[in-house]
Amino acid sequence: QQNVQQSPESLIVPEGARTSLNCTFSDSASQYFWWYRQHSGKAPKALMSIFSNGEKEEGRFTIHLNKASLHFSLHIRDSQPSDSALYLCAVSAHSNYQLIWGSGTKLIIKP
Amino acid sequence: GGIITQTPKFLIGQEGQKLTLKCQQNFNHDTMYWYRQDSGKGLRLIYYSITENDLQKGDLSEGYDASREKKSSFSLTVTSAQKNEMAVFLCASSPGIQRLFFGHGTKLSVL
């Protein structure tokens, strides 16, 4: 049974700084890796995904995946107050319609 | 673009009551999901459906029933509401083993 863990549970970062969020998983056969963002009282929205080892950048956001270490991460450059939200990581296997979710990191960007 | 509509937005029930939550999507997606989110936490899968009239149990299915009579709609029934239960129920849809699109949720409180 896949186990997905996020760290830290919560994080306060000054505006303009770099934010790093972590996610570990237990099934080395996992194929799809996602980060979702949920602003308070809103629906979760897909932020970024990665399907192979390495790095992917979209604007201020970068996702890293290291399957050998069972670890992927999200980095936010020049963090903004609007980035304050609950960040959820999720992992899926190819043949499975289910995503297994981490418990979330609550991020606060302080102006 | 499409939209996922969940009704009602807020649901207040009595202990032991049977409660039904509804979800409609106009993305024409095959797969639909029901998740439970407890305050500030990650998502736990209750039921999912990969096509009309299909139902698959998630890890949290005990105490819930689901129904997918049309491709566009997926309903969830709490079979016997538990006293002091408070959670947000999120409906999502997906075109396959890909990104999920979420509704804004139904917030349940049980007196």
Side-chain angles (χ1 to χ4, degrees), chain A:
Chain A
Q1 173 85 351
Q2 175 81 274
N3 184 28
V4 177
Q5 300 284 334
Q6 281 189 248
S7 63
E9 262 188 42
S10 61
L11 189 58
I12 301 174
V13 172
E15 183 176 355
R18 176 180 161 95
T19 296
S20 293
L21 308 175
N22 299 294
C23 190
T24 59
F25 53 98
S26 59
D27 184 357
S28 57
S30 300
Q31 298 214 352
Y32 300 91
F33 304 87
W34 292 90
W35 284 98
Y36 281 72
R37 180 166 73 177
Q38 185 180 25
H39 286 107
S40 183
K42 304 287 187 185
K45 272 182 107 169
L47 195 56
M48 283 184 78
S49 60
I50 192 164
F51 305 143
S52 56
N53 265 341
E55 179 180 300
K56 182 176 168 185
E57 184 178 328
E58 288 179 5
R60 296 185 295 111
F61 297 86
T62 303
I63 192 171
H64 287 272
L65 172 62
N66 184 331
K67 282 193 182 183
S69 303
L70 302 175
H71 177 263
F72 68 112
S73 56
L74 179 71
H75 305 274
I76 308 173
R77 174 172 49 84
D78 185 26
S79 302
Q80 298 297 307
S82 58
D83 295 327
S84 299
L86 181 70
Y87 286 78
L88 298 161
C89 68
V91 179
S92 69
H94 177 69
S95 60
N96 195 322
Y97 286 87
Q98 294 193 47
L99 283 174
I100 308 300
W101 296 81
S103 55
T105 293
K106 187 170 180 180
L107 174 65
I108 297 171
I109 306 298
K110 273 203 144 173

Side-chain angles (χ1 to χ4, degrees), chain B residues 7-13 19-21 78 106-110:
Chain B
T7 54
K9 272 190 172 174
F10 300 96
L11 184 56
I12 299 174
L19 302 166
T20 298
L21 292 68
V78 180
T106 292
K107 192 166 183 179
L108 172 67
S109 297
V110 181

